[in-house]
């Protein structure tokens, strides 16, 4: 919100570009470690910084850790986001944590969380080897797990993004794939009992990608252009550069 550019690095701390000049913050400035995994700023002025050992916040010109939330003080932070109510969601190697009204809640503790996406009714979670998880109304008692057993191309879900046609796009070790969200919901809500019903479009070198293996480290690992951009593109990093997808041609058929 201060019109600065923040850049997380792998082992060299957090860099901030302000008025054309860089300043680098490290453990000497209060960071728990110098390996930055994700950066997030919600509706407040707090900048949340996830690291490989704990959650940090930049507030009033200095870094602090949330010592009152011990599970997050030394956790490997994968992803930080906020839900529709403005509550902080923190994905870690040991599950998902939410901070609501000053209280810490946890669920999906058996999973290594890589990415989060929330729509109007569901929370979608990409995991490190356990497939895609859907929670209806964020109810921990109602998870549905989609995996290669259901026909997904890969169980490593690095990113989840929805286009204007209600398709979910996901990146993985084995390229990018697109699934019609309604088919996933129908199966999870027992409106459809046939796993092979999922209509999946897979993308790899055959469709023009330079390399099919996408990048897991760091979050977000996919970026969609702003909705007002008529070009409406999706940028996904791979080990051989950026793959760009035109979402205007993604209408299901």
């Amino acid at each position: 919100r201060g019109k600065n550019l923040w850049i997380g690095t792998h082992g060299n701390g957090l860099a901030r570009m302000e008025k054309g000049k860089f300043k680098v913050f490290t453990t000497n400035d209060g960071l728990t470690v110098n390996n930055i995994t994700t950066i997030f700023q919600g509706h407040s002025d707090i900048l949340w910084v996830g690291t490989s050992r704990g959650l940090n916040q930049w507030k009033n010109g200095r870094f602090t850790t949330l010592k009152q939330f011990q599970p997050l003080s030394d956790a490997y932070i994968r992803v930080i986001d906020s839900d529709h109510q403005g509550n902080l969601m923190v994905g870690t190697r040991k599950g998902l944590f939410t901070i609501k009204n000053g209280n810490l809640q946890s669920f999906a503790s058996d999973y290594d969380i890589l990415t989060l996406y929330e729509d109007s009714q569901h929370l979608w979670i990409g995991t490190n080897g356990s497939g895609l998880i859907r929670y209806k109304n964020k109810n921990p008692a109602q998870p549905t797990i989609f995996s290669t057993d259901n026909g997904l191309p890969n169980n490593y879900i690095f990113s989840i993004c929805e286009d204007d046609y209600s398709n979910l796009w996901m990146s993985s070790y084995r390229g990018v794939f697109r699934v019609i969200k309604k088919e996933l919901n129908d199966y999870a809500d027992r409106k459809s009992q046939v796993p092979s019903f999922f209509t999946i479009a897979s993308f790899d070198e055959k469709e023009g990608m330079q390399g099919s293996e996408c990048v897991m480290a760091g979050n977000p690992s996919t970026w969609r252009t702003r909705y007002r951009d008529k070009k409406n593109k999706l940028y996904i990093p791979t080990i051989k550069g950026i793959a760009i997808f035109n979402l205007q041609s993604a209408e299901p058929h």
Side-chain angles (χ1 to χ4, degrees):
R1 297 185 185 281
K3 307 298 182 183
N4 303 313
L5 176 65
W6 294 81
I7 302 172
T9 73
H10 186 70
N12 292 309
L14 181 66
R16 181 187 66 189
M17 186 173 75
E18 183 178 17
K19 297 180 180 179
K21 295 182 179 180
F22 275 106
K23 177 177 175 56
V24 178
F25 300 93
T26 66
T27 53
N28 295 330
D29 303 289
L31 286 172
T32 50
V33 290
N34 292 328
N35 186 28
I36 310 302
T37 55
T38 183
I39 309 169
F40 175 77
Q41 185 171 41
H43 299 296
S44 70
D45 290 332
I46 297 175
L47 185 75
W48 298 94
V49 181
T51 74
S52 58
R53 200 179 72 210
L55 179 65
N56 300 249
Q57 62 176 356
W58 171 264
K59 185 179 180 181
N60 298 326
R62 67 189 189 95
F63 290 102
T64 58
T65 58
L66 302 183
K67 295 182 179 180
Q68 69 271 35
F69 300 133
Q70 195 280 329
L72 294 178
S73 63
D74 59 356
Y76 192 110
I77 308 298
R78 294 286 201 186
V79 54
I80 306 172
D81 206 341
S82 64
D83 62 19
H84 293 324
Q85 288 76 43
N87 303 308
L88 198 70
M89 299 188 296
V90 184
T92 75
R93 279 183 171 174
K94 296 182 179 181
L96 176 65
F97 295 85
T98 61
I99 300 176
K100 183 177 182 180
N101 298 324
N103 298 313
L104 187 69
Q105 300 174 332
S106 67
F107 54 99
S109 57
D110 294 331
Y111 300 100
D112 185 353
I113 310 296
L114 294 182
T115 188
L116 304 168
Y117 172 68
E118 186 185 36
D119 61 24
S120 59
Q121 290 186 302
H122 309 100
L123 176 63
W124 302 87
I125 299 176
T127 70
N128 188 16
S130 300
L132 174 70
I133 305 175
R134 191 203 77 164
Y135 284 95
K136 190 169 186 177
N137 298 320
K138 290 183 69 176
N139 186 344
Q142 295 185 2
T144 301
I145 301 175
F146 305 93
S147 68
T148 52
D149 293 337
N150 303 101
L152 292 187
N154 200 248
N155 286 334
Y156 296 82
I157 311 297
F158 301 161
S159 63
I160 306 169
C161 180
E162 185 171 1
D163 63 24
D164 293 337
Y165 306 106
S166 296
N167 298 308
L168 292 183
W169 292 72
M170 298 173 234
S171 60
S172 72
Y173 275 128
R174 297 186 61 185
V176 176
F177 54 95
R178 185 187 73 209
V179 187
I180 297 175
K181 187 171 70 170
K182 184 179 184 302
E183 293 183 359
L184 298 175
N185 285 328
D186 284 350
Y187 176 77
D189 296 334
R190 303 184 187 279
K191 295 179 181 178
S192 169
Q193 298 295 325
V194 185
S196 59
F197 179 72
F198 301 152
T199 305
I200 297 176
S202 296
F203 304 89
D204 52 26
E205 289 93 344
K206 295 189 297 293
E207 285 71 37
M209 293 179 65
Q210 295 298 309
S212 61
E213 183 178 337
C214 300
V215 175
M216 178 183 73
N219 195 278
S221 53
T222 289
W223 194 260
R224 180 182 173 180
T225 54
R226 297 182 184 276
Y227 290 93
R228 63 173 178 265
D229 185 347
K230 294 182 180 180
K231 295 181 180 180
N232 207 0
K233 293 182 178 180
L234 191 64
Y235 291 77
I236 298 179
T238 76
I239 61 172
K240 293 187 177 181
I242 300 291
I244 305 173
F245 293 84
N246 181 8
L247 298 182
Q248 290 299 98
S249 60
E251 185 174 3
H253 50 77

